[in-house]
Amino acid sequence: MNVVESLEWLTDVFAAKRREERRCLRYMPRIVYTFKYILRDAEYGESRELARVTGGDPIYVPDWTNETVIPTVYPGTASLPIDATFAPAYLSGGAALIWDSNTSYEVVTVSAVGSGTISISATTATHHAPSVIPLRLGTFAQKLQGDRGPHSYTHVQAVFECVVTEDLSGVGGGIGYPTYAGYQVITDVPEIINGAQESNVREVDVLDSMTGPIYKYPIFATPNQSAFLAWTCYDAQDVWNRRLWLHSKKGKWKQFWTSSWNADVTITSNINPGDATIEIASIGFATKYPDVSDWMIASTSGGGWFVQVIGATAGSSGHELLRLADHFPGSAGLSGIDKMCKLTLSRLDSDKIDIQHLPGRQATIVVATKEVSVYP
């Protein structure tokens, strides 16, 4: 089975010429599950009829991303060896599915969630090495798609929506990104997953008389710079850490710093503690970066330093000196500097974030980002 889990927040964005205000209208994301199956003829026929008769009434939706295979379960079993650390869908008073096959399964009530175990209502049948899956209350999205294939198999897609979920933004742990000027800096190098497109677009009002000149007036003070974040998560802990970070940002609401991960300028001299300038190869910095700007000096050993550049002056032949808002906080030799990258204050450019789940509790996440104006 192929599973895509979509987390959906809701943000109102009020854009002005130099600023935007954002309000989070949905603190707990809705979860949309997109399941893709390969079904035999009889299974496909049954699924079509179920789709026909299922209206908008609440139904149990299995959270297949947290499937656990356990030893044989016998009648009267009242606890199961389940580690629910990364499975928030397991709730006291909720439900779980003990599943052998499409024709052999049992729904039980979860009475308590402990460390490495869950307490349930007593089972009524024997299940041989079954899967246990937490159940969420949701609805069918009223769209079942079937793509007929050879040899009596059909590729089927079904979508389910869950409104009652959880807000994980207050849960401890997650990713310990460094902070700069009050916001986290995403120090992960973006992975290339299904492409790596970036863009800079200046939104303008166009006045066209159709017979003469065309006049274009910028709507906003800064261009719309779009980039992306992309991660591959290699285990359940990694998926959980990314999930906590996404909950902390709540779609378009919260902002953070992203790096260009491009050698935007070339540092040509060691940087010593307390330095007020950084020497770079001459590029006409003041012309290309006329405003106050923020930068990350990436270290070859990981991590780096964050600085604010307030201007530039001519240096020795072929060099410029970048003037820093504050004295340099550490020491950086040329051999330990990887690159100097421009930082951009950003937010997620979507309230919907897709988590493509993979076998072995792995996953990929790709989400677009958008620049947020920070200086007038």
Side-chain angles (χ1 to χ4, degrees):
M1 180 192 296
N2 181 301
V3 179
V4 177
E5 176 189 5
S6 302
L7 305 177
E8 296 186 351
W9 282 273
L10 183 62
T11 308
D12 257 352
V13 180
F14 305 92
K17 189 173 183 64
R18 295 185 178 275
R19 287 285 190 274
E20 67 175 24
E21 294 291 335
R22 301 182 300 278
R23 293 181 181 178
C24 180
L25 303 180
R26 185 186 301 152
Y27 283 83
M28 291 191 300
R30 293 178 177 176
I31 297 180
V32 176
Y33 292 107
T34 302
F35 298 142
K36 295 181 180 180
Y37 318 83
I38 299 177
L39 302 181
R40 298 181 180 89
D41 280 350
E43 294 171 329
Y44 181 45
E46 183 180 356
S47 66
R48 283 190 310 180
E49 293 310 305
L50 285 173
R52 283 166 55 86
V53 301
T54 300
D57 295 333
I59 57 174
Y60 280 129
V61 180
D63 179 5
W64 287 102
T65 67
N66 284 297
E67 175 187 7
T68 304
V69 178
I70 64 172
T72 298
V73 174
Y74 298 98
T77 300
S79 67
L80 300 175
I82 299 294
D83 183 358
T85 303
F86 307 127
Y90 281 116
L91 296 171
S92 178
L97 174 67
I98 303 175
W99 185 84
D100 291 305
S101 68
N102 290 346
T103 57
S104 177
Y105 58 87
E106 183 174 352
V107 175
V108 295
T109 300
V110 177
S111 57
V113 179
S115 177
T117 184
I118 63 171
S119 299
I120 60 170
S121 56
T123 56
T124 60
T126 299
H127 303 279
H128 299 282
S131 294
V132 180
I133 307 101
L135 295 173
R136 291 187 181 273
L137 204 59
T139 56
F140 177 51
Q142 298 303 318
K143 188 172 184 179
L144 181 76
Q145 293 179 311
D147 184 7
R148 296 276 191 162
H151 310 300
S152 300
Y153 285 96
T154 302
H155 293 262
V156 178
Q157 175 177 295
V159 180
F160 300 88
E161 301 169 324
C162 300
V163 174
V164 180
T165 62
E166 57 279 328
D167 177 11
L168 301 177
S169 57
V171 176
I175 306 168
Y177 287 125
T179 59
Y180 166 68
Y183 302 106
Q184 288 182 322
V185 182
I186 309 305
T187 52
D188 304 319
V189 179
E191 300 183 30
I192 299 177
I193 302 174
N194 298 327
Q197 295 184 349
E198 300 178 340
S199 68
N200 276 274
V201 178
R202 196 64 183 261
E203 298 180 66
V204 295
D205 268 337
V206 179
L207 296 179
D208 185 358
S209 66
M210 307 303 290
T211 59
I214 299 175
Y215 299 95
K216 298 182 179 181
Y217 301 95
I219 298 174
F220 301 109
T222 57
N224 180 358
Q225 178 174 312
S226 298
F228 69 97
L229 297 173
W231 302 283
T232 297
C233 308
Y234 293 98
D235 55 33
Q237 178 71 66
D238 200 3
V239 175
W240 180 250
N241 290 342
R242 301 294 171 187
R243 187 185 298 275
L244 294 182
W245 186 83
L246 292 171
H247 272 254
S248 73
K249 296 299 170 272
K250 300 190 184 304
K252 299 177 182 179
W253 190 27
K254 297 293 185 67
Q255 55 200 34
F256 47 87
W257 294 100
T258 56
S259 168
S260 69
W261 283 110
N262 186 63
D264 296 306
V265 299
T266 302
I267 297 175
T268 56
S269 180
N270 296 335
I271 311 174
N272 300 309
D275 279 358
T277 61
I278 295 175
E279 184 185 78
I280 65 168
S282 182
I283 61 168
F285 186 92
T287 301
K288 295 179 174 64
Y289 301 94
D291 301 320
V292 174
S293 54
D294 301 275
W295 296 79
M296 178 177 78
I297 301 172
S299 168
T300 55
S301 59
W305 302 267
F306 309 115
V307 296
Q308 185 178 88
V309 176
I310 58 175
T313 57
S316 59
S317 178
H319 299 86
E320 293 179 88
L321 296 176
L322 304 184
R323 293 185 291 112
L324 305 182
D326 297 298
H327 294 290
F328 193 73
S331 176
L334 283 178
S335 61
I337 295 174
D338 179 23
K339 62 187 70 174
M340 186 168 177
C341 321
K342 189 173 186 292
L343 289 175
T344 301
L345 192 64
S346 306
R347 60 166 171 82
L348 300 182
D349 198 24
S350 176
D351 277 328
K352 178 183 178 182
I353 292 92
D354 292 338
I355 303 175
Q356 172 68 67
H357 290 275
L358 304 171
R361 299 292 180 93
Q362 300 182 71
T364 58
I365 303 170
V366 181
V367 59
T369 63
K370 182 181 185 299
E371 180 179 6
V372 175
S373 178
V374 61
Y375 300 113

